[in-house]
């Protein structure tokens, strides 16, 4: 008989200086918890890249710095995804940025391009500065895209809105 005890493990790992990306990470965490998903929220500075192997899905949150650049504190995590990894790791990348800049959420684009090659990238989400009410539905869609890619369990089947 198939095991019914297995719970997919999700990590949300983020970098945030002024709190915008942290706010999105916390919305995503709440959505996961409302779906009774096993989720951990990690500021990237507290996260050991080797721990990537412990999870079924990793949601990466980043602000953008310089001219469309990945913040320094995210470099180690970026490199950890690039090194040979367990196959089948489901990922998503989200971030906040300011469309005043030429490369809006450029760090999200850079993670997206790498995660698409190295992992099972399920979703990308860019948010203008502080998340608004309308962004909550976009966050729900991100989680639905991620859970659809996780090993099938009856309560995840059908994904979003089920
Ligand atoms: C020096 C500096 C450079 C920035 N460069 C960009 C950029 O190239 N693209 C972008 O979309 N946002 C850029 N931003 C805006 C931040 O990414 C944005 O404020 C973000 O929401 C900050 O996230 P946090 O509140 O999680 O720290 C820049 C901000 C600063 C202060």
């Amino acid at each position: 008989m198939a095991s019914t005890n297995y719970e997919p493990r999700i990590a949300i790992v983020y970098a945030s200086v002024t709190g915008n990306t942290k706010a999105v990470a916390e919305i995503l965490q709440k959505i996961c918890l409302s779906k009774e998903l096993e989720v951990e929220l990690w500021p990237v500075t507290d996260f050991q890249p080797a721990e990537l192997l412990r999870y079924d899905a990793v949601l990466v949150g980043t602000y953008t710095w310089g001219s469309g650049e990945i913040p320094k504190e995210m470099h180690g995590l970026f490199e950890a995804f690039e090194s040979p990894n367990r196959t089948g790791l489901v990922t998503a990348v989200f971030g906040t940025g300011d469309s005043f800049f030429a490369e809006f959420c450029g760090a999200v684009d850079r993670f997206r391009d790498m995660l698409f090659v190295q992992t099972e990238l399920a979703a990308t989400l860019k948010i203008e500065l502080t998340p608004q009410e309308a962004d909550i539905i976009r966050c729900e869609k991100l989680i639905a895209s991620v859970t659809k890619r996780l090993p099938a369990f009856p309560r995840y089947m059908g994904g979003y809105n089920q």
Side-chain angles (χ1 to χ4, degrees):
M1 199 173 96
S3 167
T4 51
N5 291 329
Y6 176 81
E7 288 291 337
R9 305 177 69 161
I10 299 173
I12 302 171
V13 187
Y14 69 92
S16 185
V17 175
T18 59
N20 295 334
T21 313
K22 183 180 183 193
V24 180
E26 288 172 349
I27 291 169
L28 292 167
Q29 180 195 32
K30 260 192 199 159
I31 294 166
C32 287
L33 292 172
S34 74
K35 294 180 181 301
E36 293 176 24
L37 289 160
E38 195 176 313
V39 63
E40 293 174 16
L41 186 64
W42 290 96
V44 71
T45 44
D46 294 344
F47 186 78
Q48 295 297 322
E51 297 284 290
L52 285 177
L53 295 172
R54 289 179 47 227
Y55 300 95
D56 299 288
V58 178
L59 281 47
V60 177
T62 183
Y63 64 96
T64 296
W65 199 241
S67 306
E69 283 159 32
I70 293 172
K72 241 192 189 134
E73 62 270 35
M74 293 299 271
H75 288 183
L77 184 68
F78 190 97
E79 282 156 23
F81 279 113
E82 278 184 311
S83 48
N85 214 319
R86 194 198 63 197
T87 55
L89 178 64
V90 175
T91 58
V93 56
F94 63 94
T96 65
D98 184 342
S99 54
F100 168 83
F101 289 90
E103 271 198 75
F104 176 57
C105 289
V108 171
D109 291 339
R110 289 170 198 203
F111 262 100
R112 177 200 62 205
D113 293 349
M114 179 275 294
L115 292 172
F116 179 75
V117 172
Q118 302 288 348
T119 69
E120 300 291 321
L121 180 67
T124 302
L125 176 62
K126 297 178 180 181
I127 288 177
E128 177 80 27
L129 297 170
T130 310
Q132 306 295 309
E133 196 68 26
D135 293 314
I136 294 174
I137 189 102
R138 303 172 72 213
C139 289
E140 287 176 344
K141 285 181 178 171
L142 182 147
I143 297 300
S145 299
V146 168
T147 54
K148 262 185 214 159
R149 298 278 195 106
L150 293 171
F153 290 91
R155 69 194 175 91
Y156 301 130
M157 297 294 273
Y160 185 54
N161 270 353
Q162 302 253 333

